[in-house]
Amino acid sequence: MVVSGINHGLNLGDDITYSGTVAAALEGVILGLPALAVSQQSRTGGMGFAPGEDFDFAVAARFAARIVEEVEDVPLPTGTLINVNVPAEVGGIEVVGLGKRIYRDELQLDEDDGGSRRRYWVYGTEPGYHDVPGTDLNALAAGKISVTPLHYDLTAEAGLAALRAHDLDRLLEPATRDILS
């Protein structure tokens, strides 16, 4: 079994696509191994990555150990990993889906050499989130451990039908003609 983490900060909502903790667990799933990604909220209660802050990993470590002991008894579909986020103060547990964050990042030009090189800073405040029941963000805000099954197949099944109904064949001839001419 692959156990990735315990990460400083949280792997929540649509932000999991940037999580190295989730990515490492996903590699295990791709190799056919059961996998677990575990992250811990800082004692200050932030909803994002927070290095250098005060963390207590005791509950997260004990909870992860219990999942490892029992994961073979859980009938998860092949290719599924378990993503766990542990709040600073635990008041329960909830199996949930992914939530949606609200980013407030800004882009600021830091250095411009007058030519082709520019350096920018991307910064922002703590992201907000849509407070929707049944999501990881909502569970964490309520002090609950969020447990979310994640699958590596990102195919949008509804999108397959829409694209198949669209005449994409008509795009092939102009595309190949442009390349060959």
Side-chain angles (χ1 to χ4, degrees), residues 39-58:
S39 294
Q40 174 67 53
Q41 185 179 44
S42 73
R43 287 187 177 149
T44 61
M47 294 292 273
F49 175 73
E53 293 187 28
D54 192 16
F55 288 86
D56 180 358
F57 297 101

Side-chain angles (χ1 to χ4, degrees), residues 37-107:
V38 185
S39 294
Q40 174 67 53
Q41 185 179 44
S42 73
R43 287 187 177 149
T44 61
M47 294 292 273
F49 175 73
E53 293 187 28
D54 192 16
F55 288 86
D56 180 358
F57 297 101
V59 173
R62 287 193 302 269
F63 185 75
R66 297 293 300 160
I67 287 181
V68 168
E69 290 174 3
E70 296 187 22
V71 74
E72 289 183 0
D73 299 333
V74 179
L76 290 173
T78 302
T80 302
L81 69 94
I82 300 170
N83 184 43
V84 174
N85 289 286
V86 180
E89 298 292 326
V90 177
I93 184 168
E94 190 173 355
V95 176
V96 293
L98 296 176
K100 177 81 173 131
R101 288 187 185 259
I102 303 167
Y103 293 96
R104 300 179 186 102
D105 294 343
E106 296 183 29
L107 182 68

